[in-house]
Each structure stands twice: as structure tokens, then as C-alpha cells.
Amino acid sequence: MITEKGVAVPEDMAGVLQSDAAAFAAFEALGPDDQRVYVDWVGKANGAQERSKRLAGLGEHVQAYHRRPAEEHGSPHPLSDV
């Protein structure tokens, strides 16, 4: 899947987002950089079990995401250390 903002989303991640209308809408509302952060977060999972765990919580993460002012000035994204 390619988002409206041009970000390529893996098939398994797209399936999770498309199965939850609220999560899909929240993801599409994110800026392209934030969408890429989620794609990278899912993609950098160590193994299938961790990837499945991240995908299971993806909808909740996306819907709860709010950019903090510090993140706009180069602070690490909250998902980068997960």
C-alpha cells in the first residue's frame, strides 16, 4: 500500500491498518515522516514474534500518537527505542 502522502507500507502492516477504520484514518492523518517512523518501527522488529506483537498494538499506538513539541526539534521519536 502507498499512503496518500507517498509512503510505502508493507502488506501485513497495511492489512492491520485497513482492518481498523479509526487506526487507518489516524495513520493517513499523520505526516509522511511520522508514517515512515511507524513503517520503520514495524520493519525493525527482531523476528516474527516481535513483529506480530508490534502489529497487534499498531492501531492503538497510531490512534494515541500526538507529536510532542520536543520531537519537532530533533528529539528521538518515542517508538525508536521500543
Side-chain angles (χ1 to χ4, degrees):
M1 167 180 111
I2 304 292
T3 67
E4 292 177 4
K5 295 177 177 114
V7 176
V9 177
E11 287 184 38
D12 56 350
M13 184 175 170
V16 168
L17 291 169
Q18 291 170 335
S19 70
D20 181 343
F24 184 75
F27 188 78
E28 283 288 356
L30 294 173
D33 290 340
D34 292 326
Q35 289 178 348
R36 281 187 212 94
V37 166
Y38 279 104
V39 170
D40 290 345
W41 178 64
V42 169
K44 291 180 180 177
N46 292 322
Q49 185 176 6
E50 185 177 339
R51 186 178 180 101
S52 293
K53 183 178 175 183
R54 289 182 182 192
L55 287 171
L58 180 63
E60 184 180 332
H61 275 283
V62 170
Q63 292 177 68
Y65 178 72
H66 297 285
R67 180 177 280 278
R68 292 180 233 162
E71 292 171 350
E72 294 177 9
H73 302 287
S75 291
H77 194 278
L79 296 178
S80 64
D81 295 326
V82 176

